[in-house]
Amino acid sequence: MDVIFGFGAHSRIDERAALLRMVRRADEDGLDLFSLSDHPYLGARLDAYATIGFALGGTTRIAGLANVTNLPSRPAPLLARTVTTLSALSGGRIVLGMGAGGLWDRIADLGVDRLTPGQAVDALEEAIGLVRRLSGGGAPVTHEGTYYRVRDIEPAPVAAPPVWTGSVGPRSLAATGRAADGWIPGHAADWLSQRYREARPIVDAAATAAGRDPREVRTVFNLPGRITGRPLDHPRDRDGRWLGGSVAQWVEELGGAVRDHAAGGFILFSPSGGTTDEATLARWANEVVPAVRAALA
């Protein structure tokens, strides 16, 4: 399984020109993926899927990801149409990031019926299955589920994209193991964190119980960090969280994550939690990523 390298942004409307410029540059520089957050209740943000579609239209190689889709506000049957259409138009350059919904007070402000945490996870797993049934062609689909109902809906003649979740709790982690192709650990937890060490075994156990190879569920890390000209004396803070460092320190850290912890991908974010700046993105794409790929090869 090839390791994926990308960058993340929060897609503010007033940053749209820089965002599109960065996606085009990342595409030219050989990055695999760009990701946008999906918060439809925030008026200052670009719509994630409209932006992904527009950006993919100006690129040739890079894939797009909503990190992660606010599922309660995007009904699964319509989401299936969106992602299969984007896949058809872009030549398969879309990943479906799925989330059960975190900020329920704001989600409810959109007029969406509030679900309990357990219901939201059940709806997530049902949605993943329905999106796949409505992809790849075949006979019309009728589905009478707990949260979604469709009758005689023709699937798109396009395969479903890979599905990655942003699961955090035990119930949603188990759903990831049963149904997803990838997992993005919440709260930017990395491979040395206690959160990851406790969570990944839940994913693996659920995958095994469902008759799957746990290695089919790729772990992709949202990874904040600085790229410095000189090595840092302490590339991790007192709590063990990655801060960044020189290119050589990044190579050592990410190489170890792949070899020792089966990391399947890395999405660079700004340490401040905002969009990666253009200078850092250029160093990531042209210095760190090629060096890590060479070391892994």
Side-chain angles (χ1 to χ4, degrees), residues 97-120:
M98 291 280 266
L103 301 177
W104 271 100
D105 287 343
R106 297 312 319 274
I107 293 169
D109 288 342
L110 293 171
V112 177
D113 290 339
R114 187 185 294 268
L115 299 178
T116 67
Q119 290 172 328

Side-chain angles (χ1 to χ4, degrees), residues 10-11 45 79 91 163 188 191 195 210 220 236 244 251 261 272 276-277 293:
H10 289 296
S11 57
R45 299 282 182 91
L79 183 60
V163 177
W191 48 95
R195 184 182 297 275
V220 181
R236 289 184 175 269
V251 172
H261 303 281
S272 67
T276 309
D277 67 86
R293 284 174 171 159

Side-chain angles (χ1 to χ4, degrees), residues 31-232:
L31 290 185
D32 302 301
L33 185 77
F34 69 94
S35 81
L36 304 179
S37 56
D38 185 26
H39 296 287
Y41 35 75
L42 298 179
R45 299 282 182 91
L46 296 160
D47 176 78
Y49 277 96
T51 307
I52 287 171
F54 192 91
L56 289 177
T59 57
T60 60
R61 180 183 179 277
I62 199 166
L65 162 73
N67 187 357
V68 290
T69 303
N70 190 291
L71 178 63
S73 63
R74 299 184 186 272
L78 300 184
L79 183 60
R81 286 288 182 259
T82 298
V83 295
T84 52
T85 296
L86 287 172
S87 182
L89 291 171
S90 68
R93 294 185 290 124
I94 186 73
V95 177
L96 175 54
M98 291 280 266
L103 301 177
W104 271 100
D105 287 343
R106 297 312 319 274
I107 293 169
D109 288 342
L110 293 171
V112 177
D113 290 339
R114 187 185 294 268
L115 299 178
T116 67
Q119 290 172 328
V121 171
D122 291 344
L124 170 68
E125 190 166 2
E126 184 178 330
I128 292 172
L130 184 55
V131 167
R132 288 187 172 133
R133 290 183 65 192
L134 291 172
S135 310
V141 172
T142 294
H143 175 82
E144 294 288 341
T146 303
Y147 302 97
Y148 299 104
R149 296 172 181 81
V150 298
R151 181 175 295 114
D152 292 330
I153 299 299
E154 182 181 1
V158 179
V163 177
W164 301 351
T165 76
S167 297
V168 175
R171 189 166 178 169
S172 60
L173 290 166
T176 295
R178 289 189 296 267
D181 305 299
W183 171 50
I184 305 169
H187 307 288
D190 71 22
W191 48 95
L192 298 185
S193 67
Q194 184 68 21
R195 184 182 297 275
Y196 173 78
R197 289 195 297 269
E198 293 175 352
R200 182 67 210 203
I202 299 173
V203 174
D204 293 348
T208 299
R212 306 180 67 198
D213 184 339
R215 292 174 295 182
E216 295 176 11
V217 186
R218 176 194 298 270
T219 305
V220 181
F221 294 95
N222 285 334
L223 189 62
R226 297 185 296 129
I227 304 170
T228 60
R230 296 180 179 180
L232 296 183

Side-chain angles (χ1 to χ4, degrees), residues 246-293:
S246 66
V247 171
Q249 287 176 308
W250 278 91
V251 172
E252 180 180 4
E253 191 72 25
L254 300 192
V258 174
R259 289 188 296 267
D260 301 333
H261 303 281
F266 307 95
I267 300 175
L268 182 70
F269 276 89
S270 165
S272 67
T275 300
T276 309
D277 67 86
E278 294 185 64
T280 300
L281 177 60
R283 295 201 68 189
W284 171 249
N286 293 296
E287 298 179 45
V288 174
V289 171
V292 175
R293 284 174 171 159

